[in-house]
Amino acid sequence: MANCQVCGASLSEGANFCTACGSPHESPLASPHPSYPTPAPTEVAGEAPAGFWWRVLGYLIDSLVLWLVASLPLENSHVSAHAAATITLALAAVYFWFFVRFRGATIGMMLCRMRCVSETGARLTDSQVVARTATYVVFLALASIYVVSIYQHPNAAERRTEIHEIGIYFLLALPHLIEMLWAAWDPRHQTLHDKAARSLVVRRSPV
């Protein structure tokens, strides 16, 4: 049993004041503000990991946005095909980094009521955003940096060249395809760039 530090009288178990002199006493046995470790949340109320098809829809919307602001203007310019692919890739990197960093979601995600968070449910850190964007851009670069030659009226040799180059293109695009399709069979519908950054795309349920 504890004693009062002022008058020395015995204190009752769980008492916050001395019954003899009235001095305050914080009982170690019954703290008025007990603290317990709080586990990091994996979901926010009303949100759950976004389904695969919702992610596909968001990706298609983002692709349309990038096509309108980057690919379409470059198609009507005098920039070479390789330069156009490089510029589009750079703009895609800036697009995904900017919107996820400052808005928590791309335009496609926002239109589908989705946002990108950490696996714990917290906001992504700067390093997570960079890791997520860099991983995605590496796969995207493999799929887009190789330019296929297109001939108006190909002869036999040019047709063989086209078939050969298309084969190389699909071979380079395969990692990006697998990376995006990973969300189809992953339990939390994460892509590989999500796993690299420990990020999660969640979707808000309709009210």
Side-chain angles (χ1 to χ4, degrees), residues 155-206:
N155 54 36
E158 291 172 339
R159 192 174 292 109
R160 285 195 298 270
T161 300
E162 283 184 350
I163 294 174
H164 177 72
E165 292 185 349
I166 290 173
I168 295 175
Y169 171 81
F170 279 108
L171 183 63
L172 293 174
L174 186 60
H176 178 59
L177 180 62
I178 294 174
E179 193 267 332
M180 299 300 293
L181 287 176
W182 200 273
W185 55 75
D186 186 82
R188 291 187 290 179
H189 304 296
Q190 290 175 294
T191 59
L192 293 182
H193 62 269
D194 283 318
K195 291 189 175 296
R198 293 187 173 183
S199 63
L200 187 67
V201 176
V202 294
R203 184 171 183 269
R204 185 176 70 255
S205 302

Side-chain angles (χ1 to χ4, degrees), residues 11-33:
L11 297 172
S12 301
E13 184 175 335
N16 294 324
F17 295 91
C18 176
T19 56
C21 67
S23 299
H25 172 72
E26 185 175 348
S27 172
L29 300 177
S31 176
H33 302 291

